[in-house]
Amino acid sequence: MVQVVKGRTDRVVVVGAGLSGLSAALHLRGAGHEVTVLERHPHPGGLAGRLEVDGHRIDTGPTVLTMPELLDDAFAAVGQKREDHLELLPLHPAYRATFADGSALDVHTDAGRMEQAVRDFAGDREAQGYRELREWLTKLYEVEKDRFIGASFDSPLDLVGRDLVELTRLGGFGSLDKAVGRFLKDERLRRVFTFQALYAGVAPKDALAAYAVIAYMDTIAGVWFPRGGMRAMPQALADAAALAGVTFHYGVEVEQLERSGSRVTAVRTAESRIPCDAVVLATGPAQSTRLLRGEPRRVLPLRWSPSAVVVHLSARRVVDDLAHHTISFGDKWNSTFDEIVRQGKLMSDPSLLLTTPSLTDPALAPEGRHLQYLLAPCPNLDAAPLRWDAMAQRYAEQIMEELAARKLLVDAEPLAVVTPDDWARDGQAAGTPFSAAHTFAQTGPFRPTNLPFRRGNVVLAGSGTTPGVGIPPVLISGRLAAERLRRPGK
């Protein structure tokens, strides 16, 4: 049984109206708590923000949505349906992958279509390998979803049990790259099923095979897009929470947590004091550390994930057969990860993500235009304190030129450029939106716990705590935070 906060938890203040905070608020309200949400921005969303430029409705945060049933769970916590607040559009294909040799592969979530696509791309042997890989990924997800992804940890001993034995048998603690390589020999295909490790902040050759579940989410469970853009998702969650009786205050900065002994008794902003029985900090590691007046001790300091440069673009036209998400792999692979993770250098032969949401929802761009996001992984500010103020525009031009040379970008002009400096100004530690890397020492029970002080009444939610980075883990983190505040007898 997971440890819960002792004492009264009737009145809960949630600091941060990002996806984790909204998930926590809905699950708390559904359990009968009185919930107040404080958000420093004038709208919900957190990192899933919105920027309006010349009629373009730009999503400034995550662009890939998987596992929408987690959204359904959050709405259901207060007796509501996601369909009444938010329309989700399935993406077919989930991705298009393009390679330096000129080849391309559409990644389908349907098993039959994907098997045939792999056969046409790389032959019968690889198609058989894909079938076996898909079966392995599915087993891996079934083993991990409840214990390793969907639960809080109070001790490494919480891992011990039948699921740990099965995960070990499946090779979950081995190398991700080698695990996928057991099924697929074509290097291009191996990239399609391992690049997701970058979401977890590590190179595929260094990542645990357990993180292949991200590939399961992308390539088997499916990828979706909210009508109205990604920012429609937190707005829908906030609307449902308000309808259920959650109180929201926007445009307020939390300055201090007022304490009595080990417990927080009130949350202070510049304008008000809000009494409470418990607090959920859904603010990200940097702000949480500030409000907690120092983070709990760790044997090893946290290692942060790589960051990213994002160029938001307006295009007069797009190339033929472009997918909503297009991954352009450079010729280099392992050395690319070494550059941004270990050497603190920009990619010499970049792999890039081009997202064109206006292909799915034309209303996101003015008539006659397309909205595009170009994402390039880069070192975080701890690994390389580069002078982004001086180099951002030129680097944006370089990666645009690179993508144009690969014949994936035409007639596009930048609307805005986001760099690690911008993430840092928004309160993200080391200037990365991907938080703490999922190394072995920062995974599962070794990741910063969502109950930082055993005798306290503060709980954490978000990508910096259990279970980790990405929309599905962040939504789960909100539910786990709410469960820590479960009232006796509930």
Side-chain angles (χ1 to χ4, degrees):
M1 178 70 70
V2 66
Q3 181 176 339
V4 298
V5 169
K6 294 180 173 60
R8 290 188 59 177
T9 60
D10 298 317
R11 300 169 302 169
V12 182
V13 172
V14 177
V15 184
L19 293 176
S20 65
L22 293 168
S23 173
L26 285 161
H27 286 286
L28 285 165
R29 186 60 189 148
H33 299 265
E34 178 185 322
V35 183
T36 300
V37 178
L38 307 179
E39 169 56 50
R40 62 194 178 97
H41 291 114
H43 50 69
L47 281 178
R50 166 66 55 79
L51 180 66
E52 306 236 2
V53 180
D54 298 334
H56 300 79
R57 299 163 62 192
I58 300 170
D59 288 319
T60 58
T63 61
V64 180
L65 172 60
T66 61
M67 310 302 287
E69 60 268 26
L70 296 172
L71 287 171
D72 296 340
D73 291 344
F75 285 107
V78 292
Q80 298 181 42
K81 294 182 178 180
R82 186 259 305 161
E83 293 86 350
D84 294 334
H85 296 274
L86 182 69
E87 181 183 2
L88 296 183
L89 307 170
L91 299 185
H92 301 298
Y95 297 99
R96 167 164 291 181
T98 67
F99 302 91
D101 63 2
S103 59
L105 175 70
D106 282 349
V107 178
H108 302 285
T109 53
D110 177 78
R113 290 187 69 186
M114 187 59 186
E115 182 181 337
Q116 187 58 51
V118 171
R119 180 175 290 108
D120 294 341
F121 182 77
D124 290 340
R125 170 63 189 85
E126 296 299 274
Q128 172 66 27
Y130 165 73
R131 285 199 302 271
E132 295 170 357
L133 173 64
R134 187 182 179 99
E135 181 179 350
W136 178 73
L137 289 172
T138 302
K139 290 179 179 177
L140 200 68
Y141 174 72
E142 290 298 321
V143 168
E144 292 187 39
K145 66 177 182 178
D146 293 329
R147 177 66 267 169
F148 298 95
I149 301 174
S152 295
F153 294 96
D154 293 315
S155 162
L157 294 177
D158 291 341
L159 277 177
V160 176
R162 185 186 310 168
D163 289 340
L164 178 63
V165 173
E166 182 63 12
L167 182 59
T168 303
R169 188 188 68 81
L170 289 169
F173 295 102
S175 159
L176 171 62
D177 187 56
K178 290 179 179 178
V180 173
R182 296 201 309 266
F183 304 99
L184 301 172
K185 305 306 176 187
D186 189 297
E187 184 186 1
R188 298 167 301 173
L189 289 174
R190 290 168 69 169
R191 293 186 185 188
V192 169
F193 291 95
T194 61
F195 82 90
Q196 297 89 349
L198 192 59
Y199 299 159
V202 289
K205 64 183 176 65
D206 299 323
L208 293 175
Y211 284 108
V213 294
I214 308 177
Y216 170 89
M217 295 174 185
D218 286 1
T219 67
I220 297 177
V223 179
W224 304 74
F225 187 73
R227 188 177 296 281
M230 297 294 281
R231 247 281 287 136
M233 180 173 40
Q235 187 63 61
L237 291 168
D239 290 345
L243 192 63
V246 174
T247 300
F248 284 86
H249 296 287
Y250 294 107
V252 295
E253 184 82 43
V254 173
E255 295 185 345
Q256 181 183 355
L257 303 181
E258 187 177 302
R259 292 170 169 81
S260 175
S262 61
R263 295 180 69 88
V264 172
T265 56
V267 176
R268 286 190 174 274
T269 71
E271 299 82 17
S272 62
R273 174 184 182 275
I274 304 169
C276 62
D277 299 313
V279 175
V280 175
L281 291 183
T283 54
Q287 297 98 312
S288 296
T289 297
R290 175 180 66 82
L291 291 172
L292 291 173
R293 298 187 301 209
E295 56 190 327
R297 290 183 179 179
R298 286 180 58 84
V299 175
L300 298 173
L302 284 174
R303 177 180 139 193
W304 303 103
S305 297
S307 187
V309 171
V310 181
V311 187
H312 299 288
L313 301 162
S314 176
R316 295 180 181 84
R317 60 190 178 94
V318 298
V319 301
D320 294 338
D321 299 323
L322 193 69
H324 184 112
H325 295 296
T326 300
I327 304 167
S328 174
F329 291 105
D331 187 41
K332 297 178 182 178
W333 187 236
N334 286 329
S335 62
T336 294
F337 289 100
D338 286 338
E339 285 172 337
I340 61 174
V341 174
R342 292 189 173 89
Q343 300 174 34
K345 296 167 55 178
L346 297 175
M347 295 179 291
S348 57
D349 181 20
S351 291
L352 304 165
L353 171 64
L354 179 67
T355 296
T356 310
S358 53
L359 288 173
T360 303
D361 187 353
L364 296 175
E367 186 175 355
R369 290 275 182 167
H370 274 288
L371 176 62
Q372 297 186 298
Y373 315 142
L374 174 56
L375 184 149
C378 70
N380 64 46
L381 294 178
D382 282 358
L386 300 172
R387 287 291 310 277
W388 286 108
D389 56 337
M391 59 185 287
Q393 296 302 321
R394 179 56 192 146
Y395 186 63
E397 293 171 2
Q398 288 176 359
I399 57 177
M400 289 174 63
E401 290 166 0
E402 179 64 35
L403 209 58
R406 298 178 188 182
K407 297 182 169 50
L408 291 172
L409 191 67
V410 291
D411 288 344
E413 56 191 39
L415 297 168
V417 180
V418 181
T419 73
D421 281 353
D422 296 299
W423 303 120
R425 278 190 288 269
D426 200 38
Q428 301 306 308
T432 173
F434 304 114
S435 197
H438 286 262
T439 60
F440 180 80
Q442 297 177 178
T443 291
F446 309 113
R447 198 164 183 82
T449 177
N450 55 8
L451 187 61
F453 303 107
R454 292 294 181 93
R455 296 183 180 179
N457 61 341
V458 176
V459 183
L460 305 183
S463 58
T465 186
T466 304
V469 177
I471 290 177
V474 162
L475 290 170
I476 291 170
S477 80
R479 173 178 62 79
L480 296 179
E483 289 176 358
R484 290 285 197 182
L485 299 175
R486 184 173 61 244
R487 296 183 295 176
K490 296 294 182 180

